[in-house]
Amino acid sequence: MNLSMRWLREFVDIDESITPREFSEAMTMSGSKVEGYETEGEKIKNVVVGRVLGIGKHPNADKLLVCQIDAGESEPLQIVTGAKNLKVGDFVPVAKDKSYLYDGTKITKGKLRGVPSYGMLCSVAELGVTVNDFPYAIEDGIWVLEEDCKPGDDIREVTGINDTKIEFEITSNRPDCFSVIGLAREAAATFDKPLKLHVPQVKGGNGDCTDMLDVKVEEPDLCKIYSAKVVKNVRVKPSPRWLREKLRAMNVRPINNIVDITNYVMLEYGQPMHAFDFRFVKDAEIRVRRASDGETITTLDSVERTLNNTNLIIADAEKPIAIAGVMGGEYSGIVDDTTTIIFESANFSGSSVRLTAKQHGMRTDASSRYEKGLDPNSVLPALERACELVELLDAGDVMDGIIIDKHFDENARVQIKFEPEWTNNFLGTDISKEDMVKYLEKIECKVDGDMITVPTFRPDLQHKADIAEEIARFFGYNNIATTSVSGGAQGKFSPRQKFDRTLSQSMLAMGMNEILTYSFISPKYYDKIRMPENCTLRNSVVIRNPLGEDTSVMRTTAIPSMMEILSKNYNNRNSEAYLYEMCREYIPTTPDELPIEKNVLIAGMYGGDADFFTAKGILEELLSKAGLKNYDIEASSQEYAFHPGRCAVLSVNDEKLGVIGEIHPECCENYGINTRAYIFKIDTDVLYKYSSTEKSYTPLPKYPAVTRDIALICDESVPVLSLKKAMENAAGKTLESVKLFDVYQGKQIEQGKKSVAFNLTLRSSEGTLNDEQANAAMNKIMAALEKIGAALRS
């Protein structure tokens, strides 16, 4: 919403010394947010009024003229021009040497075909206005001024191209501020100035119109009031300059006096209006009704629109003549030969107007105001103001009487209990009751005892919290003391949130990059990861209204989502990718219950140094950071998405913790990945259940360690982890560490067997181990290894 400062000062005496910046800051602090401001023609410099003293032919160009111009200086200026619409005595805009036009173009003296020219004569376009703003001007020639002026006058002052426009951001709950009067009320309250409202005065005396027109509202729920007034002997012509200036400042194009009056009243009062040509209203009958299905109307934009019974229309005896609150019909507009018009002012349901405008794709200035909910009590004053302007502009003869069909109580007011103590507690202030009353009276709320009566133009004031907000904004938000949150509760991360952050930060520290994928996928993704047809994970939660087939089910496994991202990176020719995501999988239960949401961490990689052992190292470090010490890992060939010989399953206390492995070549091929890819996935709920974040201090050892190397022969199917666990369980606390340093299979080893070598560190916290103690521990270890089929290599 733009606001003309020149127009505003008709209602509020804003001191000229207050700069636009100061005005904007004050209005913003009082609750009317200003987006920006600009002054018309502020880039125009050194452009003045000139009088044509003489016109001669250019000696070297047939199409150019050499003019002598009186620009208010001691000597006339010589200016060369190509314009043909000049004559001696004309007053014209002159851009002198070192002047600037509205768009910042600099004009300097020079020579045109050898003849010196000390400036330029300007058209309307070069000064940033149009022939709509100055109807007597011409489009393609010099602007011959008809204003009251003399040579040397500043062109901006003479033509009024110097108004300041303030752009406000109006929230939808303040429909009253979509008007000059509404913003004037805010300015008056902000600057403690009286508001000067004008009461329209219509002389009339040209006959009674009440019998000329029959008006009936057939849908009172959608139209609270419909009023009309007739003007005869209409004289369509351009509006006076003062009206055109105001419309221009508000970014509205002047058209003719009748149309300009309806726009002027809409901007001033915030009440949209429409003028019908009386001769096109069949049988002088107006009905506010719902449209019939299939009924059509050609609107003012020359588009034929098909209506339905949800659309509210204005109709005559046989056809629609306007879409209520949105746009008039093609034949209802005012043209040059219009003689009698009907001014319409009404209050339509905001929701009805909004839905109709959206349905037909024709949001207008009128509909944008109606849809926010207007004050029905502004309907009649706006109609009177329009008729007053008709008389003021000599645009026609206003007839007596108003045709009204009303369906609301104009005296009804919202009342809210006045509770100063509650307001102070709510705001954290100590404002006196007297000051509160003063702030409320600024916005025309009446305080009588412990009740507040709200004016009808403030539909946003419904509760005591709304009243508190009004008091706060005029008291000054910056004057409200800072207070701490009561209750003592401090925001902090829960233990689970801290755990998840630790996992994520650990992955980032190891060079992984976090991704984010959608939780919904295509059912076809299960085929791409080779999921068996009878797998229970194919039973997914189906989305009722999906965006498309590719996002139609909730994933039961995050592997397809990771593979999609790996595939995109590979096909975008990224040589390597190390990715992870903390996400959820959705496991259906019963049709009447929500699915189980499993929290998982999934990591995927390819290229660079990525291989199974790289992925395993990252996983082991992650589990260490999470505080998980005892877990089992076993080779698996049952994981359909993974290579059967390069996959392992992790578990804790017989609960499945996760899976790690190389992706099956067929799966990679399905995703267009022509290299080896690796993925591990961890159930973070299980990990959190068995993790330990407690840290305990371990002093440096006092006694020396004893180291022993052993080489074992066992079946190649026996996991190294099984051997390690057997040794740790057998030796107890005496065994400080077990390190694998060799695995061998070859000619010297029986087929189906493997040689596994470990370095063992033995230490006691009670004293130095002797050979007897060390041998006893080693004997226990070997006994445990023999139970699982391992023997010393000879």
Side-chain angles (χ1 to χ4, degrees):
M1 170 73 184
N2 282 343
L3 175 66
S4 159
M5 288 299 293
R6 185 177 295 155
W7 199 347
L8 174 68
R9 287 190 171 96
E10 293 182 7
F11 298 97
V12 186
D13 289 326
I14 302 296
D15 197 320
E16 294 283 352
S17 64
I18 296 176
T19 65
R21 182 183 181 89
E22 292 170 337
F23 176 83
S24 300
E25 288 176 350
M27 293 294 286
T28 297
M29 289 304 295
S30 69
S32 302
K33 184 183 177 185
V34 174
E35 287 288 300
Y37 59 85
E38 66 171 322
T39 301
E40 286 183 315
E42 59 186 342
K43 292 184 180 179
I44 298 174
K45 308 288 185 185
N46 206 22
V47 180
V48 301
V49 174
R51 185 170 181 270
V52 180
L53 300 177
I55 302 174
K57 291 185 177 181
H58 193 291
N60 302 319
D62 293 338
K63 294 185 178 181
L64 296 179
L65 298 175
V66 181
C67 301
Q68 303 301 317
I69 306 294
D70 176 9
E73 299 181 355
S74 57
E75 296 291 333
L77 295 179
Q78 178 173 286
I79 295 178
V80 177
T81 181
K84 304 298 183 182
N85 65 314
L86 298 178
K87 64 179 184 299
V88 174
D90 284 345
F91 287 91
V92 294
V94 179
K96 299 193 293 185
D97 180 35
K98 298 179 181 179
S99 62
Y100 292 86
L101 303 182
Y102 94 100
D103 59 356
T105 301
K106 186 176 182 180
I107 303 299
T108 56
K109 64 182 179 181
K111 289 186 178 181
L112 292 176
R113 290 292 190 93
V115 175
S117 181
Y118 295 90
M120 186 181 80
L121 306 183
C122 302
S123 66
V124 287
E126 287 158 339
L127 295 179
V129 291
T130 68
V131 293
N132 295 99
D133 301 308
F134 295 90
Y136 62 80
I138 61 174
E139 289 271 11
D140 53 353
I142 300 301
W143 184 2
V144 179
L145 298 168
E146 295 183 5
E147 314 299 320
D148 183 13
C149 56
K150 63 182 186 298
D153 287 347
D154 188 306
I155 196 66
R156 293 179 61 212
E157 297 295 331
V158 168
T159 58
I161 313 175
N162 57 358
D163 196 358
T164 297
K165 299 186 289 186
I166 311 292
E167 183 184 356
F168 286 88
E169 179 188 304
I170 309 298
T171 54
S172 58
N173 68 323
R174 290 298 305 274
D176 58 305
C177 287
F178 282 90
S179 66
V180 176
I181 291 177
L183 290 173
R185 284 194 181 101
E186 291 295 304
T190 300
F191 291 95
D192 284 323
K193 299 286 185 179
L195 180 66
K196 300 179 292 184
L197 291 181
H198 169 70
V199 179
Q201 300 293 328
V202 181
K203 298 175 183 178
N206 298 290
D208 193 336
C209 70
T210 54
D211 294 331
M212 290 181 61
L213 192 65
D214 179 26
V215 171
K216 184 172 179 57
V217 175
E218 297 180 3
E219 296 290 337
D221 291 340
L222 303 181
C223 180
K224 293 181 179 179
I225 179 173
Y226 189 96
S227 64
K229 204 167 175 67
V230 178
V231 177
K232 62 183 182 180
N233 300 324
V234 171
R235 296 173 281 279
V236 179
K237 55 186 176 182
S239 299
R241 180 181 132 180
W242 63 265
L243 192 148
R244 288 184 270 114
E245 279 182 3
K246 291 178 181 177
L247 294 182
R248 182 180 71 242
M250 305 286 279
N251 288 349
V252 175
R253 178 171 59 93
I255 298 175
N256 60 50
N257 53 359
I258 301 299
V259 176
D260 292 350
I261 285 171
T262 61
N263 286 331
Y264 186 94
V265 173
M266 179 179 71
L267 294 170
E268 187 174 55
Y269 281 77
Q271 172 63 44
M273 297 189 65
H274 190 64
F276 294 104
D277 192 326
F278 185 80
R279 60 185 163 170
F280 295 123
V281 179
K282 180 71 172 175
D283 296 340
E285 182 181 296
I286 288 181
R287 295 289 181 265
V288 183
R289 62 174 175 83
R290 291 180 184 269
S292 301
D293 287 333
E295 202 166 10
T296 61
I297 181 175
T298 302
T299 46
L300 284 170
D301 55 2
S302 300
V303 176
E304 184 179 53
R305 304 181 187 277
T306 302
L307 308 171
N308 59 56
N309 64 3
T310 65
N311 305 146
L312 188 68
I313 62 168
I314 313 300
D316 59 18
E318 64 179 23
K319 65 184 184 304
I321 57 176
I323 300 177
V326 183
M327 188 180 290
E330 184 176 34
Y331 296 106
S332 68
I334 307 305
V335 292
D336 291 341
D337 63 345
T338 298
T339 58
T340 304
I341 62 172
I342 303 167
F343 272 121
E344 165 201 272
S345 183
N347 184 272
F348 303 114
S349 164
S351 58
S352 172
V353 171
R354 180 180 63 84
L355 292 172
T356 297
K358 182 180 179 181
Q359 184 181 99
H360 295 286
M362 49 189 302
R363 196 165 188 263
T364 61
D365 285 340
S367 69
S368 67
R369 284 171 166 80
Y370 273 123
E371 67 186 26
K372 293 171 179 63
L374 298 182
D375 179 10
N377 280 325
S378 69
V379 167
L380 294 179
L383 183 61
E384 293 284 351
R385 177 59 166 157
C387 292
E388 181 185 46
L389 288 171
V390 169
E391 294 180 340
L392 184 63
L393 274 54
D394 189 32
D397 301 326
V398 180
M399 299 185 71
D400 295 329
I402 302 177
I403 304 99
I404 304 173
D405 192 0
K406 184 182 67 171
H407 300 275
F408 79 105
D409 182 4
E410 68 270 24
N411 297 315
R413 299 288 187 274
V414 171
Q415 291 194 316
I416 303 171
K417 191 173 182 180
F418 183 35
E419 301 181 49
E421 184 178 350
W422 181 91
T423 301
N424 275 323
N425 289 335
F426 182 69
L427 297 176
T429 56
D430 187 21
I431 306 171
S432 67
K433 178 179 179 181
E434 292 72 22
D435 285 343
M436 290 186 185
V437 172
K438 182 180 68 174
Y439 297 145
L440 293 173
E441 288 177 344
K442 278 185 175 187
I443 57 173
E444 301 182 36
C445 287
K446 294 180 180 179
V447 181
D448 185 8
D450 63 349
M451 293 302 296
I452 303 168
T453 302
V454 179
T456 57
F457 58 79
R458 288 299 303 273
D460 59 310
L461 302 184
Q462 299 289 331
H463 309 284
K464 58 184 179 181
D466 301 325
I467 296 297
E469 181 184 2
E470 297 300 303
I471 292 170
R473 68 190 184 102
F474 290 114
F475 174 71
Y477 294 117
N478 54 326
N479 295 323
I480 299 177
T482 302
T483 56
S484 59
V485 178
S486 62
Q490 299 295 321
K492 60 182 180 180
F493 290 115
S494 67
R496 178 57 192 265
Q497 288 173 322
K498 290 180 180 179
F499 178 76
D500 288 342
R501 281 169 61 87
T502 298
L503 296 182
S504 184
Q505 290 168 356
S506 299
M507 295 298 284
L508 291 171
M510 288 185 282
M512 305 295 286
N513 296 293
E514 187 172 11
I515 63 172
L516 182 66
T517 62
Y518 288 120
S519 296
F520 30 82
I521 61 174
S522 168
K524 295 179 180 178
Y525 284 10
Y526 297 142
D527 295 329
K528 295 179 75 172
I529 63 169
R530 306 176 66 252
M531 184 181 286
E533 291 292 335
N534 60 350
C535 182
T536 56
L537 292 181
R538 282 185 178 269
N539 179 26
S540 306
V541 176
V542 179
I543 299 173
R544 289 183 180 177
N545 187 23
L547 298 174
E549 186 184 0
D550 288 346
T551 54
S552 60
V553 299
M554 304 297 288
R555 65 187 173 199
T556 55
T557 172
I559 293 176
S561 301
M562 177 58 72
M563 290 300 296
E564 285 289 324
I565 304 303
L566 290 175
S567 174
K568 285 182 180 179
N569 279 272
Y570 182 81
N571 288 291
N572 283 333
R573 300 191 178 184
N574 290 327
S575 60
E576 60 183 50
Y578 292 79
L579 311 174
Y580 82 96
E581 181 181 15
M582 299 190 69
C583 57
R584 286 181 177 175
E585 297 173 341
Y586 301 84
I587 311 302
T589 52
T590 64
D592 298 329
E593 295 181 359
L594 293 174
I596 297 171
E597 298 184 26
K598 288 177 57 179
N599 294 291
V600 300
L601 185 152
I602 185 168
M605 61 193 74
Y606 71 82
D609 297 327
D611 58 17
F612 181 88
F613 295 104
T614 302
K616 181 172 176 286
I618 293 173
L619 176 57
E620 288 176 339
E621 180 66 17
L622 178 69
L623 298 180
S624 173
K625 291 290 185 183
L628 185 67
K629 298 177 180 178
N630 298 312
Y631 58 91
D632 296 319
I633 182 167
E634 294 183 8
S636 173
S637 59
Q638 305 302 314
E639 302 294 327
Y640 42 82
F642 294 88
H643 194 297
R646 299 166 188 168
C647 174
V649 171
L650 291 85
S651 60
V652 183
N653 289 351
D654 296 327
E655 281 192 65
K656 186 174 180 180
L657 174 64
V659 61
I660 181 173
E662 179 183 327
I663 295 299
H664 198 288
E666 290 182 8
C667 186
C668 284
E669 184 179 347
N670 292 338
Y671 283 95
I673 301 175
N674 192 26
T675 188
R676 293 184 177 184
Y678 303 87
I679 280 180
F680 68 77
K681 185 179 73 166
I682 297 296
D683 186 328
T684 57
D685 293 328
V686 175
L687 179 60
Y688 179 69
K689 179 179 177 181
Y690 292 105
S691 66
S692 174
T693 57
E694 293 182 2
K695 307 280 184 188
S696 59
Y697 170 71
T698 303
L700 293 174
K702 295 181 181 180
Y703 306 105
V706 175
T707 60
R708 298 286 176 88
D709 291 343
I710 59 172
L712 305 172
I713 296 291
C714 63
D715 292 338
E716 63 179 356
S717 62
V718 176
V720 171
L721 184 62
S722 298
L723 300 174
K724 182 179 177 183
K725 281 183 175 293
M727 289 186 279
E728 290 172 342
N729 293 332
K733 293 181 180 180
T734 304
L735 183 61
E736 186 174 88
S737 68
V738 179
K739 294 182 180 178
L740 172 73
F741 67 85
D742 183 57
V743 177
Y744 173 75
Q745 286 179 286
K747 294 181 179 178
Q748 300 177 25
I749 304 297
E750 183 182 346
Q751 189 173 2
K753 302 284 186 177
K754 64 182 176 182
S755 171
V756 185
F758 294 94
N759 173 261
L760 309 182
T761 301
L762 305 172
R763 192 194 306 267
S764 172
S765 61
E766 298 176 354
T768 302
L769 288 177
N770 54 37
D771 287 342
E772 184 179 349
Q773 291 171 319
N775 290 336
M778 290 301 298
N779 289 335
K780 291 180 181 179
I781 290 173
M782 289 309 304
L785 290 172
E786 288 173 0
K787 290 180 180 180
I788 59 174
L792 280 175
R793 179 179 173 186
S794 59

